[in-house]
Every structure is written in C-alpha cells, then in structure tokens.
C-alpha cells in the first residue's frame, strides 16, 4: 500500500467484512514493515511526561543542594562562632599574661631600687669606716712617730 487513499478504496470495494479485515491486516503488516521500530519512537505525550519527570528530579536535586548549602552555611557560622570564642579566650589569656609580666617588671624595679638604696647606704658606711680607719691609723702612726721622736730626743738630750 502506498497511500491512505489506496487503503480507503480497498476497504470501500471489499465485498464483505472478512475482506475488509484482510485489507486492514495487510495495512498493519505494511506499516510494521515500513516503520519497524514504532514502539521505540517517542510521542509528544511521552516526551512531555519525561520532561515533567526530569523537571521534578531537577527540583528535588535543587532542593537537596539548597538544603546542603544551608547546612554548610550553618556549620560555617557555628565554626566561626567557636573560632571567635577561642580568639577571645586567647586574647584574654594573653592580656592576663601581659598583666602578670608587667607586675613582675614592677616588682623587679622595686627590688632593684631597694637594692640600690641598700648598696648606696653600704657604700656610705664603708666610706665612713675607711675615713675612721685612716684617721685612726694616721693618728696612731703620728703618735707613734711622735713617741719615737720624743724618745729619740730624750735619749739624745738625756744622756
């Protein structure tokens, strides 16, 4: 069969239902030979159903991706909060240590001033003792010289 018009003429000219049925069966056979993969061809409805199914899957994936993005944002905010707390704690610890070091420096300065004052006092005392010793020694030496001189004079004179 070459056209639909031929099919119509054969059906119209068929003498009975049995002949018409035979013409229809031959038309189907001819169509199956001409289009052997009719079952594999997509129809508009099938394409629309596939499109709708794919759109649904895309929306599901989009929802899942959006959910994961929001989850990651939440985790990032949580991590940022923890890190901020750690930074503040470290900042506090460093400030505390700086305060302790400053106290130690002030204490060491105070101790150095006390030590300096004590050393100055000891130096002054030592100077005084040296002066006393020098005066005592020099005075004792002068007296010894005077005694020798007097003894020498009295020996020279007294004789």
């Amino acid at each position: 069969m070459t056209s639909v018009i031929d099919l119509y003429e054969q059906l119209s000219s068929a003498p009975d239902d049995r002949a018409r049925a035979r013409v229809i069966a031959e038309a189907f056979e001819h169509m199956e030979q001409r289009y052997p993969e009719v079952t594999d061809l997509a129809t508009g409805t099938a394409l629309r159903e596939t499109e709708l199914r794919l759109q649904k899957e895309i929306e599901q994936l989009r929802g899942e991706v959006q959910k994961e993005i929001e989850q990651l944002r939440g985790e990032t905010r949580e991590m940022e909060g923890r890190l901020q707390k750690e930074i503040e704690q470290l900042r506090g610890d460093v400030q505390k240590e700086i305060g302790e070091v400053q106290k130690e420096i002030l204490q060491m300065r105070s101790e150095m001033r006390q030590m300096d004052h004590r050393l100055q006092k000891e130096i002054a005392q030592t100077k005084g003792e040296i002066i006393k010793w020098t005066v005592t020694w020099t005075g004792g030496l002068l007296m010894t010289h005077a005694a020798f001189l007097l003894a020498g004079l009295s020996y020279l004179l007294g004789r």
Side-chain angles (χ1 to χ4, degrees):
M1 277 187 208
T2 57
S3 73
V4 177
I5 295 173
D6 288 340
L7 176 63
Y8 174 74
E9 285 178 7
Q10 286 179 4
L11 285 174
S12 303
S13 63
D16 58 15
D17 285 337
R18 189 174 173 160
R20 279 188 214 102
R22 180 150 184 91
V23 168
I24 291 173
E26 287 174 359
F28 274 112
E29 184 179 18
H30 179 68
M31 194 168 89
E32 284 177 354
Q33 289 173 356
R34 188 169 180 190
Y35 305 105
E37 297 183 22
V38 170
T39 56
D40 290 343
L41 294 176
T43 63
T45 305
L47 288 175
R48 182 67 184 148
E49 287 175 3
T50 301
E51 180 183 3
L52 291 174
R53 184 176 43 81
L54 289 174
Q55 284 178 347
K56 182 180 177 184
E57 288 178 16
I58 289 170
E59 288 302 317
Q60 285 176 339
L61 287 174
R62 186 175 286 145
E64 290 173 10
V65 167
Q66 188 65 30
K67 188 176 180 180
E68 287 181 25
I69 288 171
E70 290 302 318
Q71 183 180 1
L72 288 173
R73 283 183 182 155
E75 290 173 4
T76 302
R77 281 188 224 111
E78 183 180 313
M79 186 181 296
E80 183 180 342
R82 282 195 314 261
L83 290 174
Q84 190 67 30
K85 285 179 183 178
E86 286 181 33
I87 289 170
E88 290 301 320
Q89 182 179 0
L90 289 172
R91 185 175 285 143
D93 292 346
V94 167
Q95 291 295 332
K96 184 179 177 182
E97 288 181 27
I98 288 172
E100 290 174 3
V101 168
Q102 286 175 338
K103 285 179 185 179
E104 288 179 23
I105 289 171
L106 290 174
Q107 184 179 358
M108 290 179 80
R109 283 182 181 162
S110 174
E111 290 173 4
M112 287 175 62
R113 284 187 200 113
Q114 290 173 0
M115 191 180 300
D116 185 51
H117 180 68
R118 192 177 64 240
L119 289 172
Q120 292 292 336
K121 191 175 180 181
E122 287 180 22
I123 289 170
Q125 287 175 350
T126 303
K127 282 181 183 177
E129 289 176 12
I130 289 173
I131 291 171
K132 282 182 192 176
W133 182 78
T134 305
V135 168
T136 305
W137 188 74
T138 307
L141 189 59
L142 286 174
M143 297 247 317
T144 306
H145 283 304
F148 279 128
L149 285 172
L150 284 175
L153 278 175
S154 73
Y155 175 72
L156 287 170
L157 290 177
R159 254 200 157 194

